[in-house]
Amino acid sequence: MPDVPPLPFRQFIIKVHSRCNLACDYCYVYTKADERWRSRPRVMTPRVVEFTVRRVAEHVRVHGLDEAEVILHGGEPLLAGPATIGRLVSDLRLAVPARLKVTVQTNGTLLDEDFLNLFRELRVRVGVSLDGDAAAHDRHRVGPSGHGSHRDVQRALAALASREYRHLFAGLLCTVDLVNDPVTTYEALLEYEPPKVDFLLPHGNWTNPPPGLPAGPGATPYADWLIALFDRWYSAPERETGVRVFDEILAVLLGGHSRLEGVGLGPAAMIVVETDGMIEQSDILASTFEGAAATGLHVVRDSFDAAWGVPAVTARLNELADLCETCRSCRHRVVCGGGLPAHRYRAGYGFDNPSVYCPDLYRLAGHIRDRVSADLAELRRATR
């Protein structure tokens, strides 16, 4: 175990099903380097569910946590079916001695009234993946036959937005596509009145770059996209919705702390349980190399605190020391935190590199800092 006391994990990502009913071409689980999903059971067994519940409850008790978060994930978690999900959430609520926030992150295609009634009964909030309007969404988020999924997601969101289930709506998750106009994409998402939107950069690294990178000298295509989106969001006469990446950057700039991995310097307080019961780091590491997220731990025999004895996990205790020299000397390191660890990977060199998005992150952080600084200066002048 590390010399410093291990920090508590506060977010538990539970992979209740390891397969998906869509075939999104950018998926970091099924189209990238790590193919261990092929050998994992499709759905959590009752025994793995039982021990996962025990480990979450144990961790909360040992660390005296007053609240914790569980995210039901996949694959597509709804493929696990109402019985498995219902048993898991019911057992968690009985066993965990803390306020427990439970969210399911789904592609929405299987979300129907039966699931919504179950989630209402169990107090499970629902996050849905949507990449914009029909053309934007169906470019990537298709079924095995190649048909787009936008119509099914739209149907699910209509039900979720109804008065009966609206309180369950956690927000939308959208993957950035440079082909799509950022403002058009944002306004398409606003039509569903989401309480929050997560915009995710496509997962890639120096060995397998994301679309549009590396760009030419001085080019920052992802910063350009996000800056146009930020200016539209920030300049709105009233707050239309939360945009998580912008909210977290603003929190850091104003002296607070980020709750989002890839923003700020705080260690990520999350851990993953796979369908076979293996305890792992962020599953985004699946985009780098086979087994990058592995810890060798299992819920049947190991506590979550044992993960802090794994060197790759221990390094997260001091994220500044975990950064490469370029990042440690950067003026925006406190804001971007070096970006996601998975985006720093280069075969043969590991993670000791700047993010493949480094120029984009630098420009975005600078733009938001300048906008906020100008507004604070104007506020000071106005109140003299």
Side-chain angles (χ1 to χ4, degrees):
M1 297 295 289
D3 293 332
V4 296
L7 298 176
F9 297 107
R10 296 179 179 272
Q11 185 182 84
F12 305 92
I13 298 176
I14 301 178
K15 300 295 198 81
V16 292
H17 203 283
S18 67
R19 304 297 195 270
C20 190
N21 60 329
L22 294 185
C24 305
D25 58 13
Y26 56 57
C27 182
Y28 62 89
V29 176
Y30 306 112
T31 68
K32 303 297 182 182
D34 194 335
E35 295 191 339
R36 290 177 302 149
W37 61 270
R38 295 181 183 276
S39 61
R40 287 198 166 110
R42 290 178 176 270
V43 65
M44 274 191 166
T45 64
R47 175 174 166 81
V48 170
V49 168
E50 176 190 351
F51 276 92
T52 299
V53 169
R54 285 191 195 181
R55 293 305 182 192
V56 174
E58 169 191 70
H59 195 80
V60 167
R61 277 196 306 273
V62 166
H63 291 277
L65 301 182
D66 56 7
E67 61 182 6
E69 180 180 16
V70 167
I71 299 177
L72 308 181
H73 213 281
E76 169 49 47
L78 300 193
L79 286 171
T84 295
I85 293 174
R87 180 173 61 251
L88 172 62
V89 178
S90 297
D91 290 352
L92 281 166
R93 293 215 178 275
L94 286 172
V96 176
R99 292 190 300 275
L100 193 63
K101 176 183 176 183
V102 182
T103 304
V104 59
Q105 183 62 46
T106 174
N107 63 37
T109 59
L110 302 177
L111 187 63
D112 58 15
E113 191 171 340
D114 289 340
F115 271 118
L116 287 170
N117 286 333
L118 176 69
F119 295 150
R120 180 177 58 185
E121 177 186 347
L122 297 175
R123 291 171 288 137
V124 176
R125 302 185 73 215
V126 182
V128 178
S129 297
L130 181 68
D131 282 352
D133 59 21
H137 183 89
D138 287 345
R139 185 177 301 114
H140 303 287
R141 301 189 65 81
V142 299
S145 66
H147 290 96
S149 59
H150 185 269
R151 181 177 297 179
D152 290 335
V153 180
Q154 191 175 46
R155 170 197 50 76
L157 286 171
L160 185 58
S162 68
R163 170 182 278 184
E164 192 172 5
Y165 304 114
R166 175 75 193 179
H167 64 288
L168 302 177
F169 193 9
L172 297 173
L173 185 152
C174 176
T175 298
V176 173
D177 184 346
L178 297 175
V179 174
N180 301 329
D181 179 77
V183 174
T184 300
T185 299
Y186 174 64
E187 292 179 347
L189 301 179
L190 280 182
E191 293 178 10
Y192 300 96
E193 300 181 352
K196 179 187 70 175
V197 180
D198 258 346
F199 286 95
L200 303 184
L201 294 172
H203 295 308
N205 51 68
W206 291 104
T207 301
N208 294 294
L213 293 182
T220 53
Y222 284 94
D224 296 344
W225 203 96
L226 289 169
I227 285 170
L229 172 60
F230 174 81
D231 287 344
R232 164 64 179 81
W233 172 79
Y234 186 74
S235 301
E238 60 183 28
R239 184 176 172 91
E240 296 162 310
T241 187
V243 174
R244 193 177 181 195
V245 64
F246 299 152
D247 283 332
E248 299 301 328
I249 289 174
L250 290 171
V252 173
L253 286 172
L254 296 173
H257 299 282
S258 169
R259 298 162 296 176
L260 178 64
E261 186 182 22
V263 175
L265 289 172
M270 55 83 74
I271 199 77
V272 177
V273 181
E274 294 285 352
T275 54
D276 56 4
M278 296 304 295
I279 299 170
E280 303 223 331
Q281 302 178 73
S282 169
D283 62 338
I284 296 170
L285 292 168
S287 63
T288 59
F289 62 89
E290 181 94 1
T295 66
L297 305 175
H298 194 281
V299 290
V300 170
R301 63 176 182 269
D302 301 299
S303 71
F304 289 130
D305 272 340
W308 291 116
V310 177
V313 180
T314 306
R316 289 159 46 184
L317 287 169
N318 187 345
E319 194 165 329
L320 184 58
D322 194 39
L323 298 180
C324 69
E325 182 55 40
T326 299
C327 291
R328 286 199 293 270
S329 61
C330 177
R331 65 190 294 257
H332 293 309
R333 68 183 183 278
V334 174
V335 178
C336 85
L340 286 172
H343 297 168
R344 306 172 198 161
Y345 177 74
R346 187 192 296 268
Y349 297 88
F351 297 92
D352 190 25
N353 312 286
S355 170
V356 71
Y357 288 106
C358 181
D360 297 273
L361 297 175
Y362 187 93
R363 182 160 181 256
L364 176 65
H367 178 83
I368 296 177
R369 183 189 295 272
D370 290 347
R371 288 275 329 241
V372 172
S373 297
D375 284 350
L376 291 175
E378 179 61 31
L379 181 62
R380 285 192 293 268
R381 286 194 295 269
T383 54
R384 282 176 183 169

